[in-house]
Each structure stands twice: as C-alpha cells, then as structure tokens.
C-alpha cells in the first residue's frame, strides 16, 4: 500500500506560526482522521498537501522518496484528491458533464460523444457503489451529499492520468443530512476496501470514532498525538485537543436558586409535534431529548413562531405571540439548527445577521442607526467571544464555530428572557463548544431560562437541570439530569407513550 509521510512541517505567516513541527503518516487502505480546534493548523496542512502552500521547513515522503508538492498539478500527479464541504459544481450541467469538468470530453468524428460520456460516468458511479444517481440528471437536482459522491466518482473515471490513492475530505458532512452522510460513509468504506487512503478532517467525534482506523490531533500547529481508534475515546481526544478533561467541558451551575416560571407551555402541538406540557423557570436549563422525528426540533420552531401551533403558551404571564417578529419582541430568542440554511447570511456583513431581528430597536425616526448597530454588535460579539475582523466581515469567511457565535450574538442582542437552542454545538470544534457551554451557564446565572433541543445526550446531561423526553411527537416524561446516565436517557427515548 502507498504511504505518505509528513514530518516537521513548519509554516509561518508573518509573526504567526500556523504549523510548528506538524506531521502524520497516511497509508492506503485506511481512514486517518485529523482533528484539532480552529487554528490548530489543519487547514494549513491540507493546503500544503494540495500544493497551494509551501512549507517553510519539514519533509514529505511518498513511499520513502522525497515528494515536492509545489502546485495542485503536482499533488494530482502524486495521486492526491481533495474534496471540500464547499463543492465546486456547475448546477446547470448534468452529472456526467460535471464529472468530466477537469478532463477532455470523449469525442467521435470531432464531436462530443455523449453516449461515451454518459457510459463512462455511469461506470465510475457504479465502481463507487452509487446506483441511485443517474448520469443525465442535472446537478442542481442533487443534494450536497449526492453532489459530493459525484465529485468522488469523478476521480474514478478511467483515463491515462495517475490513479488516485488518497482522498482528503475536509468537514465532508457539515451540510449533509443523515441519509446523505450514511451514503458517504458507505462510499468511504468502498474506497478503503479498494486500497485507497482517506484523510478525514472533522470536528464530529462520533463520526471519527466510527470511521477512522487512526486519529491524529494537532494543537497550536504542533502534532499532539496519533492513536489507533481502539486505543482512544472522546475523553482522550478532548484532552489532546484542548488540554482539558472531559469532566471540565460542562461548567458547574453558579447558583442553585431558580426564579419564577417564565415560559408556560400547555398542549403545544404543531407539524411533527402532538403534545408538549412544560414549565421553564428563570435561571433554569431544560433539555428536549428524543430520537430523530420525536418532535424536539418542531417544538422550538413552534415556540418561536416559525410554524403554526396550537395550545396555550405564556411568556412571563402574557400570551405568546404567534409570529417570529412578535416572539422576538416579547423576549424569546432562537438559535436554529441549520445555521447556514436558517440562520446566517453568508455573503453579508455579520452585523446584518446579528441585528436583523432588532432593527426596530436600533432605528431612530424609521432609519437604522448604524453607530448604534456597530456598538451593539461589537458588545455582543465580545460577550460570546466571537473571533472576527469586525462587524463588516462577511459571515461566510468565518469558521463554523464563529458562525454559530454570530447567531448567539443575535440572540443576546435583545436581552432575552428565554433562549431557545436547537442543536447549539452542531458542527463546531471542541473549543467553541466549551465557549458555548460557558455562555449558556453564564446566562442561566443571570436569570435567563434556556430550552435546548439536542441529539447529543452527554451535552444534555452535562448542561441541563431537567430533560423532557419526546417520542413520536408526544412528551412522555421529564427527568432530573443529576445522576442520569447516557444509557438510561437513551433507553427512555425509546419508550413509547403507551408504555
């Protein structure tokens, strides 16, 4: 099997050292995960592998021979292929045409041989085990996961160029549904079985621990550890990435006192939710747990007014409005699950995303007060420890963790009474998770009531005072979080309402 060895890599940008002796060994026939907080050096290492950057020092060997990666063409010639979460596709062209973007179209008598083009694409898709995507289908009809499978399959087209043996996947599931991610994992398994290597870069520990044969961790640009999957676990990885113990990830409650009921919910129903009864007190953190489709996410959308609801809901003793504008104005704030699709405006200044629900409060005589907006955004950005050049920086230029902090800054700008969080740490690195957990704990100490819907059961147990369990859209029980185990909570999630 081929083997690519990187050792002692150093890369500096001015006074900043992005890599400080980093290294790892990649082999054909295995999945090697690369983990680390934002700023750990993962992106810089990938850019060096791709031939987009040159290391200031260090050595790269392919099967024991020095490999010079001075350009993307050199990386391709060495058999390396790169797939990013932001895929480069042409939506208006077919699957087959997209697969041939980087190579010549087959021709016959001087014209494009469309039959050969489609047959070649279909053969490559079949080699990857992808039978549900047609070669003639427009790329625009495919979801992000299937588009990624098409880009992987494109590397399997038969041709005269060098055969790929190493695939670098950078946060490949960041924008995928569960079904799309499952198909990607199947494709990765087929690549591995065929002798290819995969460098899998991800913040998602469950995926890493399920897929990887070995895991390398970078911290502050340096190699911290490389371990076989069987020899590591979540606690060891967190310590390698941050220097913290897993038990330190969830800050302790600062005060045991709870205030009056702020949010009272009786018979809440909406699409995907049959019934929820819940009281949420000032300073309390309550979780919503349940299997996929249990209604936990639907409950938050119904409360914020994003979908029609039934039932009686009161906020601080007054009937809750039924529109998002009304609920935000009353003191309810919401951080959605899908930040890119439902939360941020990627191409716009981050200040616009933060201020969007608060334009009335930031306006004078019907005009937005830009100075007040900048001041409010800067203050809330500092509160959530947002790392950005300034309020004018486009959201799309920020890391996933900082994009999530933009949404937290928006939620806090109006000083909410109740904060609704839907998968608040989804797709962020472990350092950003700790910042978010500390923020939630600090808000509860100030008397803010927090309602969290999450599929991360340890997160719910570590943060919440109580956990409401939903099954099939029905609220079945409410549990005290103290002393609760992950196994017990999962078992409760499987219990039907009639049990």
């Amino acid at each position: 099997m081929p083997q690519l060895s990187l050792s002692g890599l150093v890369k500096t940008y001015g006074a900043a050292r992005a890599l400080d002796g980093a290294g790892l060994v990649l082999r054909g026939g295995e999945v090697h995960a690369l983990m680390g907080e934002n700023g750990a050096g993962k992106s810089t290492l990938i850019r060096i592998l791709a031939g987009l950057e040159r290391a200031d020092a260090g050595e790269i060997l392919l099967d024991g021979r020095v490999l010079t990666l001075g350009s993307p063409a050199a990386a391709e010639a060495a058999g390396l292929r790169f797939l990013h979460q932001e895929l480069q596709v042409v939506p208006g062209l077919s699957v087959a045409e997209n697969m041939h973007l980087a190579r010549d179209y087959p021709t016959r008598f001087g014209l494009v041989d469309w039959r050969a083009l489609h047959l070649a694409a279909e053969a490559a898709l079949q080699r990857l085990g992808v039978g549900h995507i047609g070669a003639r289908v427009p790329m625009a009809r495919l979801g992000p996961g299937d588009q990624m499978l098409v880009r992987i399959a494109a590397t399997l087209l038969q041709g005269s160029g060098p055969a790929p043996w190493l695939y670098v996947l950078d946060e490949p599931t960041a924008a995928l549904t569960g079904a799309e991610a499952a198909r990607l994992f199947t494709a990765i398994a087929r690549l591995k079985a065929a002798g290819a290597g995969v460098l899998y870069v991800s913040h998602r520990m469950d995926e890493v621990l399920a897929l990887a044969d070995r895991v390398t961790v970078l911290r502050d640009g340096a190699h911290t550890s490389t371990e076989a999957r069987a020899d590591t676990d979540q606690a060891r990885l967190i310590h390698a990435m941050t220097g913290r113990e897993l038990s330190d990830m969830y800050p302790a409650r600062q005060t045991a006192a709870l205030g009056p009921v702020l949010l009272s919910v009786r018979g809440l129903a909406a699409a995907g939710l049959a019934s929820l009864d819940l009281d949420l007190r000032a300073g309390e953190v309550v979780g919503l747990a349940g299997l996929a489709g249990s209604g936990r996410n639907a409950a938050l959308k119904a409360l914020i007014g994003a979908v029609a609801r039934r039932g009686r809901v009161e906020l601080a003793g007054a009937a809750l409005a039924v529109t998002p504008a009304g609920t935000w104005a009353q003191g309810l704030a919401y951080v959605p699950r899908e930040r890119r699709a439902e939360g941020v405006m990627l191409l716009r200044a981050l200040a616009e995303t933060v201020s969007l629900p608060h334009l009335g409060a930031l306006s004078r005589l019907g005009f937005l007060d830009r100075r007040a907006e900048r001041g409010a955004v800067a203050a809330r950005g500092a509160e959530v420890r947002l790392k950005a050049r300034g309020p004018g920086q486009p959201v799309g230029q920020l890391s996933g963790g900082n994009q999530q902090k933009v949404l937290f800054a928006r939620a806090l700008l109006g000083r909410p009474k109740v904060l609704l969080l839907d998968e608040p740490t989804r797709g962020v690195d472990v350092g950003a998770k700790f910042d978010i957990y500390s923020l939630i704990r600090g808000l509860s100490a100030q008397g803010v009531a927090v309602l969290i819907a999450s599929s991360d059961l340890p997160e719910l147990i570590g943060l919440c005072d109580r956990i409401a369990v939903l099954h099939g859209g029905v609220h079945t029980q409410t549990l005290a979080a103290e002393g609760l185990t992950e196994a017990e909570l999962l078992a409760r999630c499987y219990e039907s309402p009639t049990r």
Side-chain angles (χ1 to χ4, degrees), residues 38-215:
N38 289 327
K42 304 186 300 297
S43 297
T44 303
L45 187 147
I46 291 172
R47 290 180 65 81
I48 290 173
L49 271 180
L52 299 172
E53 301 274 2
R54 287 181 178 269
D56 299 329
E59 186 176 56
I60 302 176
L61 303 177
L62 178 58
D63 293 333
R65 297 181 179 179
V66 173
L67 177 65
T68 301
L69 295 173
S71 68
E76 182 174 358
L80 313 187
R81 300 293 184 271
F82 299 82
L83 292 104
H84 305 278
Q85 63 186 71
E86 301 298 335
L87 295 172
Q88 300 299 315
V89 300
V90 181
L93 297 182
S94 70
V95 164
E97 290 170 295
N98 270 275
M99 290 175 66
H100 284 82
L101 285 176
R103 61 181 65 222
D104 294 333
Y105 281 18
T107 58
R108 186 180 185 192
F109 305 124
L111 301 174
V112 174
D113 188 340
W114 293 105
R115 182 174 182 275
L117 181 91
H118 293 137
L119 287 175
E122 290 168 358
L125 288 165
Q126 288 298 324
R127 277 193 289 275
L128 194 61
V130 178
H132 66 285
I133 300 176
R136 293 173 171 80
V137 174
M139 202 71 160
R141 292 187 186 175
L142 304 184
D146 284 345
Q147 289 183 2
M148 181 169 292
L149 293 179
V150 169
R151 299 303 300 140
I152 296 175
T155 68
L156 303 179
L157 288 168
Q158 299 287 1
S160 58
W165 73 272
L166 179 66
Y167 293 83
V168 180
L169 307 183
D170 186 8
E171 296 290 348
T173 62
L176 306 192
T177 65
E180 288 174 331
R183 287 196 288 268
L184 174 63
F185 299 157
T186 299
I188 289 173
R190 290 182 71 97
L191 291 172
K192 175 183 169 181
V198 176
L199 179 59
Y200 193 87
V201 185
S202 179
H203 295 309
R204 301 184 176 184
M205 289 195 189
D206 55 340
E207 294 178 5
V208 166
L209 293 173
L211 291 173
D213 298 291
R214 292 185 298 139
V215 185

Side-chain angles (χ1 to χ4, degrees), residues 382-472:
E383 184 176 356
V384 302
R385 301 182 65 181
L386 173 65
K387 296 179 181 178
R389 293 196 302 268
Q393 184 175 5
V395 178
Q397 295 179 0
L398 303 177
S399 68
N402 282 304
Q403 289 180 14
Q404 192 74 346
K405 290 179 180 180
V406 167
L407 294 181
F408 270 86
R410 179 172 73 185
L412 300 187
L413 195 148
R415 292 304 182 193
K417 300 181 182 74
V418 177
L419 181 59
L420 309 178
L421 305 178
D422 197 349
E423 302 286 358
T425 61
R426 184 181 186 184
V428 305
D429 71 81
V430 67
K433 278 189 177 184
F434 182 78
D435 288 345
I436 290 171
Y437 295 156
S438 298
L439 179 64
I440 292 170
R441 187 59 75 206
L443 290 169
S444 70
Q446 297 169 24
V448 176
V450 183
L451 184 60
I452 304 175
S454 178
S455 57
D456 188 333
L457 301 187
E459 179 174 271
L460 291 177
I461 294 169
L463 283 176
C464 296
D465 302 297
R466 296 181 296 135
I467 301 172
V469 179
L470 293 95
H471 183 101

Side-chain angles (χ1 to χ4, degrees), residues 295-312:
R296 62 176 190 265
N297 313 111
L300 297 193
K301 288 189 174 183
L303 288 171
I304 199 63
V307 297
R309 69 168 190 260
R310 301 181 301 279
R312 181 170 61 84

Side-chain angles (χ1 to χ4, degrees), residues 11 41 67 72 118 140 234 240 265 268 273 325 327 365 399 439 446 471:
K11 181 64 181 180
L67 177 65
H118 293 137
Q234 184 181 21
V265 178
L268 178 65
L273 179 68
T327 56
L365 302 177
S399 68
L439 179 64
Q446 297 169 24
H471 183 101

